[in-house]
Amino acid sequence: RAYLGDTPAFIVPIYELVSAWELPMYLVLGLFCAAVGVAFTKTLYRFEDLFDSLKFPEYLKAVAGGLILGGTGLFFPQVLGVGYGAIDQALMHQLAWWLMLVLVIVKIFATSITIGSGGSGGIFAPSLVLGAMAGGFFGGVVHDLFPRITATSGAYSIVGMGAVVAATTHGPLTAILILFEMTGDYKIILPLMFACIVGTITSGQLLRDSIYTLKLARRGIDIKEGKEINVLKS
């Protein structure tokens, strides 16, 4: 902070809870984000299996992945790189709701291609992008349907970011605290808690492992087994 300043990572719109009727909508947003998180996890490992099954040298797999990703980026530049610029656009509702839905699908595809083909990348930043787009899409739709009792799509983008991270990692407290740090906005705590908890529980019902632990489970390592875990659980 001494070198870079005490500023949030994202341009955060002014948040307000317009009506108490919005809270159930954030619960539904949590369900939607759980579906996005599970789809992201399953697609990522499907593409890893697909590239592993290809019978040609590893460097050619990376070339193929790069060509596909580059072609995708010509039409949807928002999915390239870390994606923080696209997140800022979603938070400031500068993207159409239908485009944000398309970007959810394309971002899942682009990230899966990158990692599956042997490229370097993580899943945290893509999860934030997916959450911002999913929340922006959901918020745009509900605001069009119920303009008097709902906030603008930017508020739903903030909550969506945390909810998708929680759904993919099965770590709701982590997602909530990280969103506080990155946005510097604590007024959104109740909707964020609702969506993150619902997203985590729902994704856990749909897929036993998180996007991290699934890699271990596929190697036969079950971190949910073991004496220490069971003692703490009981």
Side-chain angles (χ1 to χ4, degrees):
R1 293 188 177 191
Y3 284 104
L4 302 177
D6 183 16
T7 56
F10 301 111
I11 303 170
V12 183
I14 297 174
Y15 172 76
E16 61 176 343
L17 187 68
V18 177
S19 166
W21 290 105
E22 271 197 287
L23 292 178
M25 296 181 190
Y26 284 108
L27 295 177
V28 178
L29 175 60
L31 296 174
F32 179 55
C33 288
V36 171
V38 170
F40 179 34
T41 303
K42 289 187 173 182
T43 304
L44 176 66
Y45 286 102
R46 290 273 174 84
F47 272 92
E48 282 195 357
D49 292 340
L50 174 64
F51 277 96
D52 286 341
S53 67
L54 297 178
K55 304 301 182 184
F56 51 83
E58 292 295 323
Y59 65 87
L60 290 180
K61 295 179 183 180
V63 170
L67 289 172
I68 296 170
L69 186 65
T72 304
L74 292 175
F75 298 96
F76 300 100
Q78 296 92 342
V79 303
L80 297 177
V82 180
Y84 284 2
I87 291 175
D88 280 335
Q89 287 183 304
L91 292 177
M92 301 309 294
H93 33 89
Q94 295 173 352
L95 300 173
W97 64 264
W98 61 266
L99 177 58
M100 288 189 277
L101 178 61
V102 172
L103 289 175
V104 169
I105 300 169
V106 177
K107 184 63 177 180
I108 291 176
F109 173 76
T111 304
S112 301
I113 287 287
T114 301
I115 298 176
S117 64
S120 177
I123 62 94
F124 175 69
S127 295
L128 289 177
V129 176
L130 289 173
M133 299 304 155
F137 159 72
F138 182 87
V141 172
V142 298
H143 187 65
D144 284 346
L145 294 175
F146 312 105
R148 294 186 178 181
I149 62 171
T150 57
T152 57
S153 61
Y156 290 86
S157 286
I158 300 174
V159 174
M161 288 163 64
V164 171
V165 170
T168 54
T169 64
H170 293 187
L173 291 178
T174 300
I176 292 168
L177 293 173
I178 284 176
L179 255 293
F180 285 157
E181 278 295 305
M182 299 186 83
T183 61
D185 189 347
Y186 291 84
K187 298 189 295 294
I188 203 166
I189 182 169
L190 193 56
L192 188 61
M193 290 174 68
F194 276 0
C196 287
I197 297 298
V198 169
T200 302
I201 293 173
T202 305
S203 64
Q205 295 297 315
L206 296 173
L207 190 63
R208 179 172 180 263
D209 291 288
S210 73
I211 200 167
Y212 294 124
T213 60
L214 185 57
K215 185 177 287 290
L216 296 173
R218 285 156 55 92
R219 297 175 183 172
I221 302 171
D222 188 355
I223 66 167
K224 296 183 185 298
E225 297 296 331
K227 182 178 179 181
E228 294 84 358
I229 298 295
N230 291 333
V231 168
L232 290 173
K233 195 173 185 179
S234 62

